[in-house]
Amino acid sequence: MTSFQKKLWIGLIIMALLSPLGIILPEKFKAGDAWGEWGTDTLEKLLGYVPEGLKKLADLWKAPIADYNLGSENSPLIIQVVSYVISGILGIAIVGSVIYLISNLLVKKS
């Protein structure tokens, strides 16, 4: 593993560990949902409407861990924080594995 790769992995892990800030800070400041993690219902409240294209595509993808939460919607904050970190690490592992497999296939062909 090169020095750049080590720094990349450390940076990704730090970002996964910091990801719960997206739920901690809105909770602390009573700001509602985490910024940008809005469903169509929240967008309708914020904007007054939901774009037609978004309505059609909103239910297209069902995340394996809904809302990055391993508990229920009203889980304690600590469960949500741990769930965010686990979701981040799983996402990094999945994307890293896909990139690794694709790069191995491309290198073997050339």
Side-chain angles (χ1 to χ4, degrees), residues 2 7-8 10 16 21 28 30 36-38 43-44 47 55 57 61 69 78 86 88 91 93 96 98 101 104:
T2 67
K7 290 176 184 175
L8 178 65
I10 290 170
L21 288 176
K28 172 88 174 155
K30 308 288 182 218
E37 294 188 5
W38 306 310
L43 279 175
E44 189 163 12
L47 302 173
K55 281 182 186 176
L57 298 175
W61 168 254
N69 190 351
I78 188 67
I86 290 171
V98 169
L101 291 173
N104 272 352

Short mmCIF file of all heavy atoms in Angstrom, two decimals, residues 2 7-8 10 16 21 28 30 36-38 43-44 47 55 57 61 69 78 86 88 91 93 96 98 101 104:
data_model
loop_
_atom_site.label_atom_id
_atom_site.label_comp_id
_atom_site.label_asym_id
_atom_site.label_seq_id
_atom_site.Cartn_x
_atom_site.Cartn_y
_atom_site.Cartn_z
N THR A 2 0.62 2.14 -0.90
CA THR A 2 1.44 3.36 -1.00
C THR A 2 1.05 4.36 0.09
O THR A 2 0.01 4.22 0.75
CB THR A 2 1.24 4.02 -2.38
OG1 THR A 2 -0.11 4.50 -2.46
CG2 THR A 2 1.53 3.06 -3.51
N LYS A 7 -3.11 7.41 3.26
CA LYS A 7 -3.75 8.69 3.58
C LYS A 7 -5.20 8.70 3.12
O LYS A 7 -6.08 9.22 3.81
CB LYS A 7 -2.99 9.84 2.93
CG LYS A 7 -1.64 10.10 3.54
CD LYS A 7 -0.91 11.19 2.79
CE LYS A 7 0.50 11.37 3.36
NZ LYS A 7 1.28 12.33 2.58
N LEU A 8 -5.47 8.10 1.97
CA LEU A 8 -6.83 8.04 1.45
C LEU A 8 -7.73 7.24 2.40
O LEU A 8 -8.82 7.67 2.75
CB LEU A 8 -6.85 7.40 0.05
CG LEU A 8 -8.20 7.22 -0.59
CD1 LEU A 8 -8.85 8.57 -0.87
CD2 LEU A 8 -8.09 6.41 -1.87
N ILE A 10 -7.24 6.57 5.59
CA ILE A 10 -7.38 7.29 6.87
C ILE A 10 -8.41 8.41 6.72
O ILE A 10 -9.28 8.59 7.57
CB ILE A 10 -6.01 7.84 7.33
CG1 ILE A 10 -5.12 6.68 7.77
CG2 ILE A 10 -6.18 8.86 8.47
CD1 ILE A 10 -3.67 7.06 8.03
N ALA A 16 -16.08 8.80 7.78
CA ALA A 16 -17.14 7.90 8.28
C ALA A 16 -17.40 8.16 9.75
O ALA A 16 -18.56 8.16 10.19
CB ALA A 16 -16.74 6.44 8.05
N LEU A 21 -22.21 13.73 12.57
CA LEU A 21 -22.43 15.16 12.81
C LEU A 21 -23.67 15.65 12.06
O LEU A 21 -24.32 16.60 12.51
CB LEU A 21 -21.21 15.98 12.37
CG LEU A 21 -19.97 15.85 13.26
CD1 LEU A 21 -18.81 16.62 12.66
CD2 LEU A 21 -20.27 16.34 14.67
N LYS A 28 -28.98 19.00 18.07
CA LYS A 28 -28.51 19.96 19.07
C LYS A 28 -29.16 21.32 18.89
O LYS A 28 -29.54 21.98 19.86
CB LYS A 28 -26.98 20.07 18.97
CG LYS A 28 -26.34 21.14 19.79
CD LYS A 28 -26.01 20.64 21.15
CE LYS A 28 -25.23 21.72 21.91
NZ LYS A 28 -25.38 21.57 23.33
N LYS A 30 -31.91 21.95 17.14
CA LYS A 30 -33.34 21.82 16.83
C LYS A 30 -33.65 22.32 15.42
O LYS A 30 -34.58 23.08 15.19
CB LYS A 30 -34.19 22.59 17.84
CG LYS A 30 -33.90 22.26 19.29
CD LYS A 30 -34.39 20.89 19.64
CE LYS A 30 -34.13 20.60 21.11
NZ LYS A 30 -33.74 19.27 21.39
N GLY A 36 -30.15 18.17 3.40
CA GLY A 36 -30.00 17.40 2.17
C GLY A 36 -30.52 15.98 2.24
O GLY A 36 -30.54 15.29 1.23
N GLU A 37 -30.94 15.52 3.41
CA GLU A 37 -31.46 14.17 3.54
C GLU A 37 -32.98 14.20 3.61
O GLU A 37 -33.60 13.50 4.40
CB GLU A 37 -30.89 13.49 4.78
CG GLU A 37 -29.41 13.26 4.67
CD GLU A 37 -28.87 12.43 5.81
OE1 GLU A 37 -29.65 11.96 6.65
OE2 GLU A 37 -27.65 12.25 5.86
N TRP A 38 -33.55 15.03 2.77
CA TRP A 38 -34.98 15.23 2.81
C TRP A 38 -35.70 14.25 1.88
O TRP A 38 -35.24 13.96 0.78
CB TRP A 38 -35.33 16.64 2.37
CG TRP A 38 -34.59 17.69 3.15
CD1 TRP A 38 -34.50 17.77 4.50
CD2 TRP A 38 -33.83 18.77 2.63
NE1 TRP A 38 -33.74 18.85 4.86
CE2 TRP A 38 -33.32 19.49 3.74
CE3 TRP A 38 -33.54 19.21 1.36
CZ2 TRP A 38 -32.54 20.61 3.59
CZ3 TRP A 38 -32.76 20.34 1.22
CH2 TRP A 38 -32.27 21.02 2.32
N LEU A 43 -39.44 18.04 1.24
CA LEU A 43 -39.21 18.98 0.13
C LEU A 43 -40.49 19.75 -0.19
O LEU A 43 -40.45 20.96 -0.47
CB LEU A 43 -38.73 18.23 -1.12
CG LEU A 43 -37.25 17.89 -1.14
CD1 LEU A 43 -36.92 17.05 -2.38
CD2 LEU A 43 -36.39 19.13 -1.10
N GLU A 44 -41.60 19.07 -0.13
CA GLU A 44 -42.87 19.75 -0.41
C GLU A 44 -43.14 20.84 0.63
O GLU A 44 -43.61 21.92 0.30
CB GLU A 44 -44.02 18.75 -0.46
CG GLU A 44 -45.31 19.38 -0.96
CD GLU A 44 -46.31 18.33 -1.38
OE1 GLU A 44 -46.11 17.14 -1.10
OE2 GLU A 44 -47.30 18.73 -2.01
N LEU A 47 -40.32 23.65 -0.22
CA LEU A 47 -40.42 24.32 -1.51
C LEU A 47 -41.85 24.67 -1.92
O LEU A 47 -42.07 25.52 -2.77
CB LEU A 47 -39.82 23.43 -2.61
CG LEU A 47 -38.35 23.03 -2.44
CD1 LEU A 47 -37.95 22.02 -3.51
CD2 LEU A 47 -37.47 24.26 -2.47
N LYS A 55 -40.73 13.07 -8.17
CA LYS A 55 -41.83 12.22 -7.71
C LYS A 55 -41.75 10.84 -8.34
O LYS A 55 -41.94 9.82 -7.67
CB LYS A 55 -43.18 12.84 -8.08
CG LYS A 55 -43.62 13.95 -7.18
CD LYS A 55 -44.99 14.43 -7.63
CE LYS A 55 -45.44 15.65 -6.85
NZ LYS A 55 -46.73 16.16 -7.35
N LEU A 57 -39.08 9.31 -9.56
CA LEU A 57 -37.88 8.55 -9.23
C LEU A 57 -37.65 8.35 -7.73
O LEU A 57 -36.76 7.61 -7.33
CB LEU A 57 -36.65 9.25 -9.82
CG LEU A 57 -36.64 9.38 -11.34
CD1 LEU A 57 -35.45 10.20 -11.79
CD2 LEU A 57 -36.63 8.02 -12.01
N TRP A 61 -35.09 3.75 -5.66
CA TRP A 61 -34.02 3.12 -4.90
C TRP A 61 -34.46 2.91 -3.46
O TRP A 61 -34.92 3.83 -2.79
CB TRP A 61 -32.77 4.00 -4.93
CG TRP A 61 -31.73 3.59 -3.95
CD1 TRP A 61 -31.40 4.22 -2.79
CD2 TRP A 61 -30.86 2.45 -4.03
NE1 TRP A 61 -30.40 3.55 -2.14
CE2 TRP A 61 -30.05 2.46 -2.88
CE3 TRP A 61 -30.71 1.43 -4.96
CZ2 TRP A 61 -29.10 1.48 -2.65
CZ3 TRP A 61 -29.76 0.46 -4.71
CH2 TRP A 61 -28.96 0.49 -3.58
N ASN A 69 -30.11 3.89 9.52
CA ASN A 69 -30.47 3.62 10.90
C ASN A 69 -30.79 2.14 11.07
O ASN A 69 -31.68 1.61 10.41
CB ASN A 69 -31.69 4.47 11.28
CG ASN A 69 -31.99 4.45 12.74
OD1 ASN A 69 -31.40 3.67 13.50
ND2 ASN A 69 -32.91 5.30 13.16
N ILE A 78 -27.75 7.62 20.25
CA ILE A 78 -26.53 6.80 20.20
C ILE A 78 -26.69 5.66 19.18
O ILE A 78 -25.74 5.34 18.46
CB ILE A 78 -26.14 6.25 21.59
CG1 ILE A 78 -24.78 5.57 21.54
CG2 ILE A 78 -27.18 5.29 22.11
CD1 ILE A 78 -23.65 6.49 21.26
N ILE A 86 -21.54 2.78 11.00
CA ILE A 86 -21.56 1.46 10.35
C ILE A 86 -21.95 1.60 8.88
O ILE A 86 -21.34 0.99 8.01
CB ILE A 86 -22.51 0.50 11.10
CG1 ILE A 86 -21.90 0.14 12.46
CG2 ILE A 86 -22.78 -0.76 10.29
CD1 ILE A 86 -22.84 -0.62 13.37
N GLY A 88 -21.53 4.19 6.98
CA GLY A 88 -20.41 4.81 6.27
C GLY A 88 -19.31 3.81 5.97
O GLY A 88 -18.78 3.76 4.85
N GLY A 91 -20.47 1.42 3.29
CA GLY A 91 -20.45 2.09 1.99
C GLY A 91 -19.04 2.19 1.44
O GLY A 91 -18.80 1.93 0.26
N ALA A 93 -16.54 0.25 2.21
CA ALA A 93 -16.09 -1.11 1.88
C ALA A 93 -16.67 -1.58 0.55
O ALA A 93 -15.97 -2.16 -0.28
CB ALA A 93 -16.47 -2.08 3.00
N GLY A 96 -15.17 0.60 -2.29
CA GLY A 96 -13.76 0.24 -2.43
C GLY A 96 -13.60 -1.12 -3.10
O GLY A 96 -12.73 -1.30 -3.95
N VAL A 98 -15.75 -2.63 -5.18
CA VAL A 98 -16.14 -2.52 -6.59
C VAL A 98 -15.02 -1.88 -7.40
O VAL A 98 -14.66 -2.37 -8.49
CB VAL A 98 -17.46 -1.73 -6.73
CG1 VAL A 98 -17.74 -1.37 -8.18
CG2 VAL A 98 -18.62 -2.52 -6.14
N LEU A 101 -12.20 -4.44 -7.77
CA LEU A 101 -12.50 -5.47 -8.77
C LEU A 101 -12.43 -4.93 -10.19
O LEU A 101 -11.86 -5.57 -11.09
CB LEU A 101 -13.88 -6.07 -8.49
CG LEU A 101 -14.00 -6.91 -7.23
CD1 LEU A 101 -15.47 -7.29 -6.98
CD2 LEU A 101 -13.13 -8.14 -7.32
N ASN A 104 -8.81 -4.31 -11.17
CA ASN A 104 -8.11 -5.57 -11.44
C ASN A 104 -8.50 -6.14 -12.80
O ASN A 104 -7.65 -6.66 -13.53
CB ASN A 104 -8.42 -6.60 -10.36
CG ASN A 104 -7.46 -6.51 -9.20
OD1 ASN A 104 -6.48 -5.78 -9.25
ND2 ASN A 104 -7.75 -7.24 -8.15
#
